[in-house]
Amino acid sequence: QVQLLESGGGLVQTGGSLRLSCAASGRTFSSYAMGWFRQAPGKEREFVAAIAGIGGGTRYADSVKGRFTISRDNAKNTVDLQMNTLEPEDTAVYYCAADSAFINIAIARAIDYWGKGTLVTVSS
């Protein structure tokens, strides 16, 4: 069982940066792939970034590649998303996600655990 709590959302201007953090419960945190999804009003939840448990491999949506960086600290049970060069199109509720398989982490319907989300608003 994993519980996730996001923080760090807020308002930022276009071109600015924001760092999201997700705190996870459970002593088996390191065995889970972790990811970030986002959902804008009227849109489906979309994959943003993910990081594997063992090995720390990462994957990113094309829309954020080169701008966002996902990282994790297994000792602290946290996963972060550093968001740079933010655009108005990045405005959404961002959700932390955990899954037992890295191959599933980019598929919203396959995710095992979700956080409640944190709102990121990028002003134009």
Side-chain angles (χ1 to χ4, degrees), residues 37-72:
F37 289 72
R38 66 188 183 187
Q39 188 167 21
K43 304 291 185 179
E44 293 188 358
R45 192 168 299 187
E46 65 173 343
F47 169 75
V48 175
I51 185 166
I54 304 300
T58 59
R59 62 192 296 185
Y60 297 90
D62 289 342
S63 60
V64 307
K65 194 174 299 181
R67 300 188 298 120
F68 291 10
T69 302
I70 189 170
S71 61
R72 68 191 296 162

PDB file of all heavy atoms in Angstrom, residues 37-72:
ATOM      1  N   PHE A  37       1.514  12.853 -13.724  1.00  0.00           N
ATOM      2  CA  PHE A  37       0.511  13.089 -14.742  1.00  0.00           C
ATOM      3  C   PHE A  37      -0.073  14.465 -14.515  1.00  0.00           C
ATOM      4  O   PHE A  37       0.096  15.057 -13.445  1.00  0.00           O
ATOM      5  CB  PHE A  37      -0.600  12.037 -14.678  1.00  0.00           C
ATOM      6  CG  PHE A  37      -0.199  10.668 -15.138  1.00  0.00           C
ATOM      7  CD1 PHE A  37       0.645   9.877 -14.377  1.00  0.00           C
ATOM      8  CD2 PHE A  37      -0.678  10.162 -16.338  1.00  0.00           C
ATOM      9  CE1 PHE A  37       1.008   8.612 -14.789  1.00  0.00           C
ATOM     10  CE2 PHE A  37      -0.324   8.890 -16.766  1.00  0.00           C
ATOM     11  CZ  PHE A  37       0.520   8.119 -15.997  1.00  0.00           C
ATOM     12  N   ARG A  38      -0.771  14.966 -15.510  1.00  0.00           N
ATOM     13  CA  ARG A  38      -1.454  16.232 -15.341  1.00  0.00           C
ATOM     14  C   ARG A  38      -2.793  16.194 -16.065  1.00  0.00           C
ATOM     15  O   ARG A  38      -2.985  15.453 -17.021  1.00  0.00           O
ATOM     16  CB  ARG A  38      -0.605  17.399 -15.850  1.00  0.00           C
ATOM     17  CG  ARG A  38      -0.347  17.400 -17.347  1.00  0.00           C
ATOM     18  CD  ARG A  38       0.664  18.484 -17.700  1.00  0.00           C
ATOM     19  NE  ARG A  38       0.894  18.570 -19.132  1.00  0.00           N
ATOM     20  CZ  ARG A  38       1.819  19.323 -19.694  1.00  0.00           C
ATOM     21  NH1 ARG A  38       2.615  20.081 -18.933  1.00  0.00           N
ATOM     22  NH2 ARG A  38       1.961  19.346 -21.012  1.00  0.00           N
ATOM     23  N   GLN A  39      -3.704  17.018 -15.583  1.00  0.00           N
ATOM     24  CA  GLN A  39      -5.029  17.078 -16.163  1.00  0.00           C
ATOM     25  C   GLN A  39      -5.537  18.509 -16.135  1.00  0.00           C
ATOM     26  O   GLN A  39      -5.647  19.115 -15.072  1.00  0.00           O
ATOM     27  CB  GLN A  39      -6.000  16.161 -15.416  1.00  0.00           C
ATOM     28  CG  GLN A  39      -7.351  16.020 -16.079  1.00  0.00           C
ATOM     29  CD  GLN A  39      -8.169  14.884 -15.490  1.00  0.00           C
ATOM     30  OE1 GLN A  39      -7.930  14.451 -14.364  1.00  0.00           O
ATOM     31  NE2 GLN A  39      -9.124  14.390 -16.248  1.00  0.00           N
ATOM     32  N   ALA A  40      -5.829  19.025 -17.302  1.00  0.00           N
ATOM     33  CA  ALA A  40      -6.415  20.344 -17.445  1.00  0.00           C
ATOM     34  C   ALA A  40      -7.929  20.209 -17.554  1.00  0.00           C
ATOM     35  O   ALA A  40      -8.441  19.143 -17.924  1.00  0.00           O
ATOM     36  CB  ALA A  40      -5.851  21.045 -18.680  1.00  0.00           C
ATOM     37  N   PRO A  41      -8.680  21.267 -17.240  1.00  0.00           N
ATOM     38  CA  PRO A  41     -10.139  21.189 -17.338  1.00  0.00           C
ATOM     39  C   PRO A  41     -10.593  20.756 -18.720  1.00  0.00           C
ATOM     40  O   PRO A  41     -10.143  21.283 -19.734  1.00  0.00           O
ATOM     41  CB  PRO A  41     -10.580  22.620 -17.032  1.00  0.00           C
ATOM     42  CG  PRO A  41      -9.492  23.175 -16.181  1.00  0.00           C
ATOM     43  CD  PRO A  41      -8.234  22.567 -16.719  1.00  0.00           C
ATOM     44  N   GLY A  42     -11.493  19.781 -18.753  1.00  0.00           N
ATOM     45  CA  GLY A  42     -12.021  19.290 -20.010  1.00  0.00           C
ATOM     46  C   GLY A  42     -11.101  18.359 -20.764  1.00  0.00           C
ATOM     47  O   GLY A  42     -11.448  17.923 -21.867  1.00  0.00           O
ATOM     48  N   LYS A  43      -9.950  18.051 -20.199  1.00  0.00           N
ATOM     49  CA  LYS A  43      -8.979  17.192 -20.856  1.00  0.00           C
ATOM     50  C   LYS A  43      -8.809  15.895 -20.078  1.00  0.00           C
ATOM     51  O   LYS A  43      -9.111  15.816 -18.889  1.00  0.00           O
ATOM     52  CB  LYS A  43      -7.625  17.892 -20.980  1.00  0.00           C
ATOM     53  CG  LYS A  43      -7.662  19.225 -21.694  1.00  0.00           C
ATOM     54  CD  LYS A  43      -7.960  19.055 -23.172  1.00  0.00           C
ATOM     55  CE  LYS A  43      -7.868  20.389 -23.888  1.00  0.00           C
ATOM     56  NZ  LYS A  43      -8.139  20.243 -25.349  1.00  0.00           N
ATOM     57  N   GLU A  44      -8.320  14.889 -20.773  1.00  0.00           N
ATOM     58  CA  GLU A  44      -7.991  13.641 -20.108  1.00  0.00           C
ATOM     59  C   GLU A  44      -6.660  13.764 -19.385  1.00  0.00           C
ATOM     60  O   GLU A  44      -5.815  14.587 -19.734  1.00  0.00           O
ATOM     61  CB  GLU A  44      -7.935  12.494 -21.118  1.00  0.00           C
ATOM     62  CG  GLU A  44      -9.271  12.158 -21.742  1.00  0.00           C
ATOM     63  CD  GLU A  44      -9.218  10.902 -22.583  1.00  0.00           C
ATOM     64  OE1 GLU A  44      -8.129  10.314 -22.715  1.00  0.00           O
ATOM     65  OE2 GLU A  44     -10.267  10.504 -23.092  1.00  0.00           O
ATOM     66  N   ARG A  45      -6.496  12.949 -18.371  1.00  0.00           N
ATOM     67  CA  ARG A  45      -5.241  12.928 -17.647  1.00  0.00           C
ATOM     68  C   ARG A  45      -4.132  12.417 -18.561  1.00  0.00           C
ATOM     69  O   ARG A  45      -4.279  11.372 -19.200  1.00  0.00           O
ATOM     70  CB  ARG A  45      -5.368  12.048 -16.411  1.00  0.00           C
ATOM     71  CG  ARG A  45      -4.216  12.173 -15.442  1.00  0.00           C
ATOM     72  CD  ARG A  45      -4.546  11.493 -14.110  1.00  0.00           C
ATOM     73  NE  ARG A  45      -5.707  12.093 -13.475  1.00  0.00           N
ATOM     74  CZ  ARG A  45      -6.132  11.785 -12.254  1.00  0.00           C
ATOM     75  NH1 ARG A  45      -5.473  10.880 -11.532  1.00  0.00           N
ATOM     76  NH2 ARG A  45      -7.207  12.378 -11.758  1.00  0.00           N
ATOM     77  N   GLU A  46      -3.038  13.156 -18.627  1.00  0.00           N
ATOM     78  CA  GLU A  46      -1.966  12.797 -19.528  1.00  0.00           C
ATOM     79  C   GLU A  46      -0.655  12.578 -18.785  1.00  0.00           C
ATOM     80  O   GLU A  46      -0.373  13.217 -17.774  1.00  0.00           O
ATOM     81  CB  GLU A  46      -1.771  13.866 -20.616  1.00  0.00           C
ATOM     82  CG  GLU A  46      -1.304  15.213 -20.101  1.00  0.00           C
ATOM     83  CD  GLU A  46      -0.958  16.179 -21.225  1.00  0.00           C
ATOM     84  OE1 GLU A  46      -0.775  15.734 -22.370  1.00  0.00           O
ATOM     85  OE2 GLU A  46      -0.869  17.400 -20.943  1.00  0.00           O
ATOM     86  N   PHE A  47       0.128  11.698 -19.337  1.00  0.00           N
ATOM     87  CA  PHE A  47       1.426  11.382 -18.785  1.00  0.00           C
ATOM     88  C   PHE A  47       2.391  12.541 -18.955  1.00  0.00           C
ATOM     89  O   PHE A  47       2.401  13.205 -19.989  1.00  0.00           O
ATOM     90  CB  PHE A  47       1.980  10.135 -19.479  1.00  0.00           C
ATOM     91  CG  PHE A  47       3.419   9.867 -19.190  1.00  0.00           C
ATOM     92  CD1 PHE A  47       3.803   9.350 -17.962  1.00  0.00           C
ATOM     93  CD2 PHE A  47       4.385  10.118 -20.138  1.00  0.00           C
ATOM     94  CE1 PHE A  47       5.131   9.097 -17.685  1.00  0.00           C
ATOM     95  CE2 PHE A  47       5.712   9.865 -19.880  1.00  0.00           C
ATOM     96  CZ  PHE A  47       6.088   9.348 -18.645  1.00  0.00           C
ATOM     97  N   VAL A  48       3.218  12.766 -17.940  1.00  0.00           N
ATOM     98  CA  VAL A  48       4.211  13.828 -17.985  1.00  0.00           C
ATOM     99  C   VAL A  48       5.624  13.264 -17.897  1.00  0.00           C
ATOM    100  O   VAL A  48       6.460  13.505 -18.769  1.00  0.00           O
ATOM    101  CB  VAL A  48       3.995  14.853 -16.862  1.00  0.00           C
ATOM    102  CG1 VAL A  48       5.114  15.888 -16.854  1.00  0.00           C
ATOM    103  CG2 VAL A  48       2.638  15.528 -17.020  1.00  0.00           C
ATOM    104  N   ALA A  49       5.897  12.517 -16.838  1.00  0.00           N
ATOM    105  CA  ALA A  49       7.244  12.006 -16.617  1.00  0.00           C
ATOM    106  C   ALA A  49       7.194  10.827 -15.670  1.00  0.00           C
ATOM    107  O   ALA A  49       6.263  10.695 -14.871  1.00  0.00           O
ATOM    108  CB  ALA A  49       8.157  13.098 -16.043  1.00  0.00           C
ATOM    109  N   ALA A  50       8.207   9.979 -15.737  1.00  0.00           N
ATOM    110  CA  ALA A  50       8.277   8.822 -14.857  1.00  0.00           C
ATOM    111  C   ALA A  50       9.719   8.455 -14.587  1.00  0.00           C
ATOM    112  O   ALA A  50      10.620   8.772 -15.371  1.00  0.00           O
ATOM    113  CB  ALA A  50       7.546   7.628 -15.466  1.00  0.00           C
ATOM    114  N   ILE A  51       9.919   7.785 -13.475  1.00  0.00           N
ATOM    115  CA  ILE A  51      11.240   7.311 -13.095  1.00  0.00           C
ATOM    116  C   ILE A  51      11.099   5.921 -12.502  1.00  0.00           C
ATOM    117  O   ILE A  51      10.191   5.651 -11.716  1.00  0.00           O
ATOM    118  CB  ILE A  51      11.921   8.298 -12.118  1.00  0.00           C
ATOM    119  CG1 ILE A  51      13.356   7.866 -11.826  1.00  0.00           C
ATOM    120  CG2 ILE A  51      11.115   8.456 -10.832  1.00  0.00           C
ATOM    121  CD1 ILE A  51      14.176   8.960 -11.157  1.00  0.00           C
ATOM    122  N   ALA A  52      11.994   5.045 -12.882  1.00  0.00           N
ATOM    123  CA  ALA A  52      11.959   3.669 -12.419  1.00  0.00           C
ATOM    124  C   ALA A  52      12.428   3.571 -10.975  1.00  0.00           C
ATOM    125  O   ALA A  52      13.077   4.474 -10.436  1.00  0.00           O
ATOM    126  CB  ALA A  52      12.834   2.789 -13.312  1.00  0.00           C
ATOM    127  N   GLY A  53      12.094   2.464 -10.348  1.00  0.00           N
ATOM    128  CA  GLY A  53      12.590   2.195  -9.014  1.00  0.00           C
ATOM    129  C   GLY A  53      14.047   1.809  -9.070  1.00  0.00           C
ATOM    130  O   GLY A  53      14.945   2.619  -8.840  1.00  0.00           O
ATOM    131  N   ILE A  54      14.292   0.552  -9.393  1.00  0.00           N
ATOM    132  CA  ILE A  54      15.655   0.081  -9.554  1.00  0.00           C
ATOM    133  C   ILE A  54      16.245   0.642 -10.843  1.00  0.00           C
ATOM    134  O   ILE A  54      15.647   0.538 -11.911  1.00  0.00           O
ATOM    135  CB  ILE A  54      15.710  -1.452  -9.576  1.00  0.00           C
ATOM    136  CG1 ILE A  54      15.073  -2.025  -8.303  1.00  0.00           C
ATOM    137  CG2 ILE A  54      17.142  -1.934  -9.721  1.00  0.00           C
ATOM    138  CD1 ILE A  54      15.740  -1.590  -7.027  1.00  0.00           C
ATOM    139  N   GLY A  55      17.403   1.235 -10.738  1.00  0.00           N
ATOM    140  CA  GLY A  55      18.094   1.753 -11.900  1.00  0.00           C
ATOM    141  C   GLY A  55      17.872   3.217 -12.177  1.00  0.00           C
ATOM    142  O   GLY A  55      18.769   3.887 -12.705  1.00  0.00           O
ATOM    143  N   GLY A  56      16.686   3.718 -11.844  1.00  0.00           N
ATOM    144  CA  GLY A  56      16.415   5.135 -11.987  1.00  0.00           C
ATOM    145  C   GLY A  56      16.229   5.635 -13.402  1.00  0.00           C
ATOM    146  O   GLY A  56      16.359   6.839 -13.655  1.00  0.00           O
ATOM    147  N   GLY A  57      15.918   4.762 -14.341  1.00  0.00           N
ATOM    148  CA  GLY A  57      15.646   5.185 -15.700  1.00  0.00           C
ATOM    149  C   GLY A  57      14.443   6.107 -15.760  1.00  0.00           C
ATOM    150  O   GLY A  57      13.517   5.999 -14.950  1.00  0.00           O
ATOM    151  N   THR A  58      14.438   7.020 -16.706  1.00  0.00           N
ATOM    152  CA  THR A  58      13.373   8.005 -16.818  1.00  0.00           C
ATOM    153  C   THR A  58      12.747   7.987 -18.199  1.00  0.00           C
ATOM    154  O   THR A  58      13.336   7.511 -19.172  1.00  0.00           O
ATOM    155  CB  THR A  58      13.887   9.426 -16.523  1.00  0.00           C
ATOM    156  OG1 THR A  58      14.930   9.753 -17.454  1.00  0.00           O
ATOM    157  CG2 THR A  58      14.431   9.518 -15.108  1.00  0.00           C
ATOM    158  N   ARG A  59      11.539   8.542 -18.276  1.00  0.00           N
ATOM    159  CA  ARG A  59      10.860   8.757 -19.538  1.00  0.00           C
ATOM    160  C   ARG A  59      10.012  10.008 -19.409  1.00  0.00           C
ATOM    161  O   ARG A  59       9.546  10.344 -18.316  1.00  0.00           O
ATOM    162  CB  ARG A  59      10.017   7.548 -19.952  1.00  0.00           C
ATOM    163  CG  ARG A  59       8.905   7.203 -18.985  1.00  0.00           C
ATOM    164  CD  ARG A  59       8.309   5.844 -19.290  1.00  0.00           C
ATOM    165  NE  ARG A  59       7.656   5.790 -20.593  1.00  0.00           N
ATOM    166  CZ  ARG A  59       6.974   4.744 -21.040  1.00  0.00           C
ATOM    167  NH1 ARG A  59       6.874   3.658 -20.282  1.00  0.00           N
ATOM    168  NH2 ARG A  59       6.423   4.776 -22.237  1.00  0.00           N
ATOM    169  N   TYR A  60       9.823  10.697 -20.521  1.00  0.00           N
ATOM    170  CA  TYR A  60       9.115  11.958 -20.522  1.00  0.00           C
ATOM    171  C   TYR A  60       8.163  12.043 -21.697  1.00  0.00           C
ATOM    172  O   TYR A  60       8.428  11.483 -22.765  1.00  0.00           O
ATOM    173  CB  TYR A  60      10.094  13.131 -20.615  1.00  0.00           C
ATOM    174  CG  TYR A  60      11.031  13.254 -19.449  1.00  0.00           C
ATOM    175  CD1 TYR A  60      12.263  12.622 -19.458  1.00  0.00           C
ATOM    176  CD2 TYR A  60      10.680  14.009 -18.338  1.00  0.00           C
ATOM    177  CE1 TYR A  60      13.130  12.735 -18.382  1.00  0.00           C
ATOM    178  CE2 TYR A  60      11.541  14.130 -17.261  1.00  0.00           C
ATOM    179  CZ  TYR A  60      12.759  13.490 -17.291  1.00  0.00           C
ATOM    180  OH  TYR A  60      13.613  13.612 -16.219  1.00  0.00           O
ATOM    181  N   ALA A  61       7.075  12.763 -21.484  1.00  0.00           N
ATOM    182  CA  ALA A  61       6.228  13.124 -22.602  1.00  0.00           C
ATOM    183  C   ALA A  61       6.991  14.076 -23.513  1.00  0.00           C
ATOM    184  O   ALA A  61       7.802  14.881 -23.053  1.00  0.00           O
ATOM    185  CB  ALA A  61       4.944  13.780 -22.105  1.00  0.00           C
ATOM    186  N   ASP A  62       6.722  13.985 -24.797  1.00  0.00           N
ATOM    187  CA  ASP A  62       7.412  14.852 -25.745  1.00  0.00           C
ATOM    188  C   ASP A  62       7.200  16.333 -25.434  1.00  0.00           C
ATOM    189  O   ASP A  62       8.088  17.152 -25.659  1.00  0.00           O
ATOM    190  CB  ASP A  62       6.940  14.557 -27.168  1.00  0.00           C
ATOM    191  CG  ASP A  62       7.436  13.226 -27.695  1.00  0.00           C
ATOM    192  OD1 ASP A  62       8.405  12.682 -27.134  1.00  0.00           O
ATOM    193  OD2 ASP A  62       6.861  12.731 -28.670  1.00  0.00           O
ATOM    194  N   SER A  63       6.043  16.666 -24.899  1.00  0.00           N
ATOM    195  CA  SER A  63       5.702  18.049 -24.643  1.00  0.00           C
ATOM    196  C   SER A  63       6.549  18.691 -23.543  1.00  0.00           C
ATOM    197  O   SER A  63       6.632  19.915 -23.466  1.00  0.00           O
ATOM    198  CB  SER A  63       4.218  18.178 -24.288  1.00  0.00           C
ATOM    199  OG  SER A  63       3.903  17.418 -23.139  1.00  0.00           O
ATOM    200  N   VAL A  64       7.171  17.875 -22.694  1.00  0.00           N
ATOM    201  CA  VAL A  64       7.951  18.416 -21.584  1.00  0.00           C
ATOM    202  C   VAL A  64       9.416  18.038 -21.662  1.00  0.00           C
ATOM    203  O   VAL A  64      10.216  18.518 -20.848  1.00  0.00           O
ATOM    204  CB  VAL A  64       7.377  17.986 -20.225  1.00  0.00           C
ATOM    205  CG1 VAL A  64       5.899  18.330 -20.133  1.00  0.00           C
ATOM    206  CG2 VAL A  64       7.601  16.496 -19.987  1.00  0.00           C
ATOM    207  N   LYS A  65       9.776  17.211 -22.597  1.00  0.00           N
ATOM    208  CA  LYS A  65      11.155  16.754 -22.717  1.00  0.00           C
ATOM    209  C   LYS A  65      12.096  17.938 -22.898  1.00  0.00           C
ATOM    210  O   LYS A  65      11.862  18.810 -23.732  1.00  0.00           O
ATOM    211  CB  LYS A  65      11.276  15.782 -23.885  1.00  0.00           C
ATOM    212  CG  LYS A  65      12.568  14.986 -23.918  1.00  0.00           C
ATOM    213  CD  LYS A  65      12.530  13.934 -25.021  1.00  0.00           C
ATOM    214  CE  LYS A  65      11.402  12.943 -24.817  1.00  0.00           C
ATOM    215  NZ  LYS A  65      11.361  11.904 -25.880  1.00  0.00           N
ATOM    216  N   GLY A  66      13.153  17.958 -22.105  1.00  0.00           N
ATOM    217  CA  GLY A  66      14.100  19.054 -22.154  1.00  0.00           C
ATOM    218  C   GLY A  66      13.767  20.197 -21.227  1.00  0.00           C
ATOM    219  O   GLY A  66      14.620  21.053 -20.976  1.00  0.00           O
ATOM    220  N   ARG A  67      12.541  20.243 -20.717  1.00  0.00           N
ATOM    221  CA  ARG A  67      12.120  21.297 -19.800  1.00  0.00           C
ATOM    222  C   ARG A  67      11.888  20.786 -18.380  1.00  0.00           C
ATOM    223  O   ARG A  67      12.140  21.507 -17.420  1.00  0.00           O
ATOM    224  CB  ARG A  67      10.840  21.966 -20.294  1.00  0.00           C
ATOM    225  CG  ARG A  67      10.973  22.620 -21.661  1.00  0.00           C
ATOM    226  CD  ARG A  67       9.737  23.439 -22.005  1.00  0.00           C
ATOM    227  NE  ARG A  67       8.534  22.609 -22.089  1.00  0.00           N
ATOM    228  CZ  ARG A  67       7.460  22.762 -21.326  1.00  0.00           C
ATOM    229  NH1 ARG A  67       7.418  23.721 -20.408  1.00  0.00           N
ATOM    230  NH2 ARG A  67       6.403  21.971 -21.489  1.00  0.00           N
ATOM    231  N   PHE A  68      11.381  19.568 -18.267  1.00  0.00           N
ATOM    232  CA  PHE A  68      11.067  18.984 -16.968  1.00  0.00           C
ATOM    233  C   PHE A  68      12.077  17.895 -16.632  1.00  0.00           C
ATOM    234  O   PHE A  68      12.560  17.179 -17.517  1.00  0.00           O
ATOM    235  CB  PHE A  68       9.673  18.357 -16.970  1.00  0.00           C
ATOM    236  CG  PHE A  68       8.532  19.332 -17.062  1.00  0.00           C
ATOM    237  CD1 PHE A  68       8.732  20.675 -17.341  1.00  0.00           C
ATOM    238  CD2 PHE A  68       7.231  18.879 -16.867  1.00  0.00           C
ATOM    239  CE1 PHE A  68       7.672  21.557 -17.426  1.00  0.00           C
ATOM    240  CE2 PHE A  68       6.164  19.750 -16.946  1.00  0.00           C
ATOM    241  CZ  PHE A  68       6.380  21.088 -17.223  1.00  0.00           C
ATOM    242  N   THR A  69      12.363  17.753 -15.356  1.00  0.00           N
ATOM    243  CA  THR A  69      13.245  16.700 -14.884  1.00  0.00           C
ATOM    244  C   THR A  69      12.622  16.018 -13.678  1.00  0.00           C
ATOM    245  O   THR A  69      12.260  16.682 -12.706  1.00  0.00           O
ATOM    246  CB  THR A  69      14.627  17.250 -14.499  1.00  0.00           C
ATOM    247  OG1 THR A  69      15.211  17.910 -15.624  1.00  0.00           O
ATOM    248  CG2 THR A  69      15.542  16.111 -14.055  1.00  0.00           C
ATOM    249  N   ILE A  70      12.508  14.708 -13.749  1.00  0.00           N
ATOM    250  CA  ILE A  70      11.996  13.941 -12.631  1.00  0.00           C
ATOM    251  C   ILE A  70      13.162  13.324 -11.869  1.00  0.00           C
ATOM    252  O   ILE A  70      14.161  12.911 -12.468  1.00  0.00           O
ATOM    253  CB  ILE A  70      11.003  12.858 -13.101  1.00  0.00           C
ATOM    254  CG1 ILE A  70      10.304  12.212 -11.907  1.00  0.00           C
ATOM    255  CG2 ILE A  70      11.688  11.819 -13.977  1.00  0.00           C
ATOM    256  CD1 ILE A  70       9.142  11.312 -12.302  1.00  0.00           C
ATOM    257  N   SER A  71      13.042  13.284 -10.564  1.00  0.00           N
ATOM    258  CA  SER A  71      14.071  12.688  -9.731  1.00  0.00           C
ATOM    259  C   SER A  71      13.423  12.059  -8.512  1.00  0.00           C
ATOM    260  O   SER A  71      12.269  12.358  -8.185  1.00  0.00           O
ATOM    261  CB  SER A  71      15.114  13.734  -9.311  1.00  0.00           C
ATOM    262  OG  SER A  71      14.509  14.764  -8.549  1.00  0.00           O
ATOM    263  N   ARG A  72      14.160  11.191  -7.854  1.00  0.00           N
ATOM    264  CA  ARG A  72      13.626  10.568  -6.655  1.00  0.00           C
ATOM    265  C   ARG A  72      14.717  10.392  -5.620  1.00  0.00           C
ATOM    266  O   ARG A  72      15.902  10.292  -5.940  1.00  0.00           O
ATOM    267  CB  ARG A  72      12.970   9.216  -6.976  1.00  0.00           C
ATOM    268  CG  ARG A  72      13.934   8.124  -7.415  1.00  0.00           C
ATOM    269  CD  ARG A  72      13.176   6.914  -7.957  1.00  0.00           C
ATOM    270  NE  ARG A  72      12.361   6.275  -6.930  1.00  0.00           N
ATOM    271  CZ  ARG A  72      11.351   5.446  -7.173  1.00  0.00           C
ATOM    272  NH1 ARG A  72      11.006   5.169  -8.435  1.00  0.00           N
ATOM    273  NH2 ARG A  72      10.674   4.906  -6.173  1.00  0.00           N
TER     274      ARG A  72
END
